[in-house]
Amino acid sequence: AYDGLIKTKAYLKHAIILSDGDPSPPAPALVKKFNDARITISTIVIQPHDGSGDQNMFNIAKQHGGRFYKVTKPSEIPNVFLKEAATISRSAII
């Protein structure tokens, strides 16, 4: 995601991570690269690992100025993407 977003000339750069919340958090150097490039990240967790997945995904969103979503059914995912698109679009207009 970083490699693709860093090349774009877009004013706002935002990624959405959909995961089961793998217990391995991102490396501090990667967090710094995203933040230095002003790339925000929102996260969606579904069927997280043993409870730690929620916290990992929440932390990623918090570290990168994004939002955290926990979904229980795959059918909820499109609505989250629509909400994110609306939020990002609104930010670009303001």
Side-chain angles (χ1 to χ4, degrees), residues 25-87:
L30 183 59
V31 171
K32 183 175 179 355
K33 278 176 68 171
F34 271 85
N35 288 339
D36 289 348
R38 297 178 48 153
I39 299 171
T40 56
I41 299 174
S42 289
T43 59
I44 305 169
V45 67
I46 186 166
Q47 298 178 341
H49 291 280
D50 65 26
S52 66
D54 287 4
Q55 190 62 48
N56 290 335
M57 296 295 279
F58 174 83
N59 290 341
I60 291 169
K62 184 177 178 182
Q63 289 172 322
H64 298 286
R67 286 152 300 283
F68 167 76
Y69 302 91
K70 181 175 181 178
V71 298
T72 56
K73 297 180 282 190
S75 61
E76 297 173 299
I77 295 170
N79 289 333
V80 173
F81 277 90
L82 290 172
K83 184 175 182 179
E84 281 292 293
T87 300

Side-chain angles (χ1 to χ4, degrees), residues 11-12 86-94:
Y11 175 72
L12 294 175
T87 300
I88 294 302
S89 295
R90 192 173 28 249
S91 296
I93 293 169
I94 293 170

